[in-house]
Structure formats: C-alpha cells, structure tokens
Amino acid sequence: MFWKRIAVAAVAATGLAAALVVSHEDTQAVAIQPAAAKVPAFDHIVLVMFENKDYKEINGSSKAPYFNKLAAQGAKFTKAYGTTHPSQPNYIAQFAGSTHGVDSNKCQDLGNKENIASQLFGIGKTFVGYAESMPSDGYTGCTKDKYARKHNSWVSFGNVPASANKRFSSFPSDFTKLPHVAFVTPDLCSDMHDCAVDTGDKWLKKNLDAYAQWAKTHNSLLIVNFDEDSGTSVNQIFTTFVGAHVKPGSYSESVNHYSILRTMEAAFGLPGIANAANKSPITNVWQ
C-alpha cells in the first residue's frame, strides 16, 4: 500500500509538472504572438481617382507603364471593385460611405451628411479636395469645359466649406503643407474619361510621382484608384497604395471604395461611417 501511494504521488507530481510545462509553453506562445496589425497613423494621405477603365486595361498594359511601375513599388490589389455605375455614386461612396441614393451624374446637394471631411474637421484635422480645370476655388457649378462636378464628391456636401474646394493648381509643391487628407480629381481628359489611357498615365507621373516618392520617407501615403470599370457587372478596378510603411506586393483580398474609406478613417482613429462601418480596415499591407 505504501509503495502504491508513492507511485500515485509520483504520477500526480509528474502530471502537475507536465501541466506546468504545458501551461508555461502556452503562455510563452501567447506572449510571442504579434499584435494585430493596425493602419499606420499617417501624416498625409492623398487619394487620386481615375475614370472608367477595366482592371485589365491598366494592369500590365504597355499603355500604362507608370501605373504599373508605381504599383510595383507598393501594394497592388488584384481584386478591387467599384461600388456601382455610373460615375458619381462611386465618388460619393468613397467620400461618405454610401451613395445616399444617388444613381445618376446629375448635380447633387446632399446637405450635411457625414463624410470623411466632416469627420476630420471634428477632430481638428484637415481635408482639401483638389480638382483640375475647375474654373475657380470654391466653384459649385456643374460643368465647365473639361471640369465636371460629378467627379468632385466633396462639393455636394454642405458641411465641407468652400475653402476646402480648390483647383489642382493649388496643390502644394511643399508636401508638408498638404492637408491631412487630400482627394485629387484630374479633369475629363487627364482622368481618361474622354482621353486615352496613356494620357492619364503621363498625367499621374508628371503630377504625383514626386509626392509618391516623398511619401515613402515622410510617413505619408498615396492611394491611386478608379471610380468604376467600363460599365460591366464585374466592376473590377485598378487600385494601389504607395508610401511609408507599405509592404510591396500583390494582394488578393476583395476590397472596394468602402474598404479604402474605412482604412483612411482608421489612420486617424475615426470610426467607420455608413457602409464603411461594416468593413474592416486594410491591415495586411503594412510593414
């Protein structure tokens, strides 16, 4: 009986020791797991949106050498999609997390509905929309030559002041003077709506390559995006992130305008608005 008790005690002790080892190993395993990735707190984000081209018209195309060169420096999304058709509701979705019932290119006044600009203003941050070929700063007209308000989402919202609606000629060459978030809209030729792909490609290189290279070493980000494809039900678009903290490569998760909006919001600690609230920020592209 005595030896049986000793054996039982030994087994119990061994089991306890094993349990302690397992427990210790589990603790160590938990301790070395990396924290969940977060969107970096960028100093500046610039988003530029082009028009009406299928993903395959840009990706790998000899007509878009700069788009592809730029994407090779950053994160290229191989499954990025527009929200709808036609153009304007895509711009509004990117800016405000919802199309707000807009289903045409007719000029819209959407009042004080929440959007990324109003969110930023609410925490003391800045937003400016820059539109190429707009006749004057603060302009609210619908069309003028190569300018189309349907591509400038911020003009439709009463809580975005006229001072945040600027011509692209006002885009600063000293990038430290950029707002925290800037949306850039090329005109109807430069954005490829009325002109060829190589026109937009050359415009992007001429006007935003300097910022893209600067952003890499200045805690800033460039997002290059399209509103929609050529009108198909697939609506796949070319999208890339280039700048600081970006881990270059191709990424195959499905993203859309709401995903991108949610990511920009997360960079400034903002909650998602409307449909962006149902999306997770894009986190796997950061290093």
Side-chain angles (χ1 to χ4, degrees), residues 73-158:
Q73 300 170 38
K76 180 175 73 174
F77 296 93
T78 60
K79 293 182 179 178
Y81 301 94
T83 303
T84 185
H85 301 294
S87 292
Q88 184 167 231
N90 290 286
Y91 286 86
I92 292 171
Q94 182 80 93
F95 186 67
S98 170
T99 63
H100 290 297
V102 175
D103 59 4
S104 74
N105 287 324
K106 181 181 177 180
C107 273
Q108 302 286 331
D109 291 310
L110 297 174
N112 293 325
K113 292 181 174 64
E114 193 173 21
N115 54 71
I116 191 170
S118 66
Q119 283 186 300
L120 289 164
F121 297 151
I123 60 170
K125 303 293 185 180
T126 52
F127 169 89
V128 173
Y130 296 94
E132 187 184 29
S133 297
M134 189 167 66
S136 60
D137 290 349
Y139 185 75
T140 59
C142 293
T143 58
K144 183 68 175 179
D145 299 326
K146 293 187 290 183
Y147 169 79
R149 176 177 147 173
K150 64 183 179 180
H151 297 162
N152 294 0
S153 51
W154 56 90
V155 185
S156 296
F157 293 83

Side-chain angles (χ1 to χ4, degrees), residues 25-211:
E25 289 176 348
D26 288 348
T27 302
Q28 288 295 97
V30 170
I32 63 174
Q33 287 178 350
K38 294 182 178 179
V39 179
F42 289 108
D43 292 333
H44 307 281
I45 297 176
V46 173
L47 182 148
V48 56
M49 190 174 282
F50 291 85
E51 275 280 311
N52 299 12
K53 294 293 179 283
D54 297 341
Y55 176 79
K56 63 185 179 182
E57 292 183 82
I58 305 298
N59 186 54
S61 171
S62 60
K63 297 178 181 179
Y66 181 71
F67 272 91
N68 288 281
K69 180 180 179 180
L70 191 64
Q73 300 170 38
K76 180 175 73 174
F77 296 93
T78 60
K79 293 182 179 178
Y81 301 94
T83 303
T84 185
H85 301 294
S87 292
Q88 184 167 231
N90 290 286
Y91 286 86
I92 292 171
Q94 182 80 93
F95 186 67
S98 170
T99 63
H100 290 297
V102 175
D103 59 4
S104 74
N105 287 324
K106 181 181 177 180
C107 273
Q108 302 286 331
D109 291 310
L110 297 174
N112 293 325
K113 292 181 174 64
E114 193 173 21
N115 54 71
I116 191 170
S118 66
Q119 283 186 300
L120 289 164
F121 297 151
I123 60 170
K125 303 293 185 180
T126 52
F127 169 89
V128 173
Y130 296 94
E132 187 184 29
S133 297
M134 189 167 66
S136 60
D137 290 349
Y139 185 75
T140 59
C142 293
T143 58
K144 183 68 175 179
D145 299 326
K146 293 187 290 183
Y147 169 79
R149 176 177 147 173
K150 64 183 179 180
H151 297 162
N152 294 0
S153 51
W154 56 90
V155 185
S156 296
F157 293 83
N159 50 10
V160 181
S163 59
N165 180 26
K166 295 184 181 295
R167 293 167 293 171
F168 183 66
S169 57
S170 300
F171 193 87
S173 55
D174 177 357
F175 303 131
T176 64
K177 295 182 179 179
L178 279 165
H180 293 99
V181 175
F183 276 29
V184 172
T185 299
D187 67 27
L188 288 170
C189 181
S190 302
D191 68 6
M192 309 181 199
H193 185 281
D194 294 346
C195 295
V197 168
D198 62 348
T199 300
D201 190 77
K202 291 173 183 175
W203 186 95
L204 181 61
K205 181 178 181 180
K206 176 182 177 181
N207 290 283
L208 288 174
D209 181 66
Y211 171 75

Side-chain angles (χ1 to χ4, degrees), residues 211-220 243-245:
Y211 171 75
Q213 305 312 318
W214 178 89
K216 295 177 185 178
T217 55
H218 290 84
N219 193 39
S220 297
H245 313 295

